[in-house]
Amino acid sequence: MPAACRPDMPPQRAHHERIQPKRTIMKHIMLVNAVHKEQMRMATVDEKGKLIEFNIQMAVREPITGNIYKGKVLKVERGLQAAFVDYGGVKDGFLPLRDVSPEYLTEPENGSSGGKPILKSGQEIIVQVVREVIGNKGALLTSYISLPGRYLVLLPNKLCGGISRKIESEEDRQKIKTLMEQIKVPEDMGFIVRTAGINRTKPEIQRDYQFLMRLWKEIFKKAESVSAPYLLYQETDFGVRSLRDYLTLEIDEILVDEVETFRKMRAYLKAVAPRHLRILKNYKDKVPIFERYELEEQIRVIYQERVELKSGGYVIINPTEAMITIDVNSGRGSNKRNIEETAFKTNVDACEEIARQLRLRDLGGLIVIDFIDMIDKKHIAEVEKAFKKALSM
């Protein structure tokens, strides 16, 4: 996690004091396809079989985001306000100076740098990968470590406490705050309560916190005994990571088609969330799990540039190195007699689908969306509202 202490999800809209209607919880199923180690997949589907979340891990290029390394500072570029770090990767990592913890800064010699503490070449430093290697760009690093658990994110060298901004209810936020005050976190550490922390008991939160503390102590102890570059911690097993990042209150069944992955997921749930053990099952049918739930066609659409809309329109999604551009078109949904109404309906329809595709494709960064032009200001406001709502779901 970058230097700023922030929740695991960005804010989607400002909170207003109002009585919120009770939300009906729809039942979802999590499916983990781990039979083929060269390509492991996770999907969640709603009660209608619609794909809600999707994640894939390819064995040919194992992801390094989240991994923690002991690295060596090779060069500090004051002009770029960054340092290049050898962490053991194919390319040297890029570490913005704003993401360097004060514990790694030392007093300059001969009064250079205006007397401000600096990062020096040759220093060994614990870093975490924030972004994968992209093209000619090395991995983006931070020295502010974050260890995500089921309900908490532990920040070992960031003194702050917080609650996910996606938790909007003041009542829920106050309950969580009161609960966290009962858990003794070291003064030099911080934490963030994830959205999964809503309505959890003190023993559940305490169990997750203790699990993360043990993990950090093991990482720190290893760092003291090795020389850079060295891999200190690798992101968890695919199945366990699926539970940690995608298990929500809506999910009432988890099916896993590979025995070893099933056992690892079971051990993780037993350690941090035993109440969910009853919904974890080993899928043994001969029909492939994704085929059984008719997901292959829905997944195929994720890799296409064009996505059809229910209204007859479509969106074009074009990821580039600089940004992601999305173009909304009315297509066969055009109505020459009422262009404004057609544009409005297509744009509203596109809001939900764009938000869904961003989740399914795991897209982030700079995103530019070209909605169909509208004249009516009420329509423009409604589309903005619809998009914010779709992003927050």
Side-chain angles (χ1 to χ4, degrees), residues 318-325 366:
N318 183 25
T320 67
E321 196 166 317
M323 68 178 73
I324 296 156
T325 61
L366 180 60

Side-chain angles (χ1 to χ4, degrees), residues 196-343:
I198 297 179
N199 296 326
R200 297 303 170 184
T201 63
K202 181 183 175 182
E204 286 177 310
I205 298 292
Q206 183 82 40
R207 192 182 295 116
D208 197 35
Y209 164 70
Q210 290 172 344
F211 175 83
L212 294 173
M213 280 298 295
R214 286 196 301 270
L215 178 59
W216 172 244
K217 286 177 181 178
E218 290 172 7
I219 293 170
F220 191 75
K221 185 177 179 181
K222 186 185 292 185
E224 291 181 315
S225 62
V226 299
S227 298
Y230 193 91
L231 173 61
L232 298 172
Y233 166 77
Q234 190 167 21
E235 261 288 53
T236 52
D237 173 79
F238 181 77
V240 171
R241 195 163 65 248
S242 297
L243 289 174
R244 188 192 71 194
D245 296 339
Y246 294 98
L247 181 57
T248 63
L249 292 173
E250 289 86 358
I251 293 173
D252 68 346
E253 188 174 21
I254 305 167
L255 300 178
V256 188
D257 66 2
E258 198 272 325
V259 176
E260 187 57 33
T261 302
F262 169 77
R263 287 173 181 163
K264 288 179 180 178
M265 292 172 72
R266 183 175 176 79
Y268 176 77
L269 286 178
K270 191 174 182 179
V272 301
R275 71 154 75 171
H276 291 296
L277 280 170
R278 61 181 178 78
I279 66 173
L280 179 66
K281 300 170 186 175
N282 186 199
Y283 179 84
K284 298 178 181 179
D285 287 7
K286 291 183 179 180
V287 179
I289 191 168
F290 276 32
E291 189 176 316
R292 163 82 181 274
Y293 286 86
E294 301 179 346
L295 291 179
E296 299 296 357
E297 178 60 25
Q298 294 187 63
I299 292 170
R300 188 181 64 82
V301 174
I302 297 173
Y303 300 100
Q304 294 180 344
E305 187 180 69
R306 175 167 167 156
V307 180
E308 303 295 332
L309 300 175
K310 292 179 290 185
S311 61
Y314 61 92
V315 296
I316 299 292
I317 302 174
N318 183 25
T320 67
E321 196 166 317
M323 68 178 73
I324 296 156
T325 61
I326 301 176
D327 188 32
V328 182
N329 298 276
S330 57
R332 57 186 176 83
S334 298
N335 184 342
K336 292 182 180 179
R337 286 178 294 181
N338 198 334
I339 297 174
E340 174 72 16
E341 192 62 30
T342 298

Side-chain angles (χ1 to χ4, degrees), residues 63-81:
I64 62 171
T65 299
N67 286 0
I68 299 173
Y69 299 85
K70 187 171 187 178
K72 187 174 184 178
V73 179
L74 299 177
K75 191 176 183 181
V76 179
E77 293 282 1
R78 298 295 167 191
L80 292 174
Q81 284 294 294

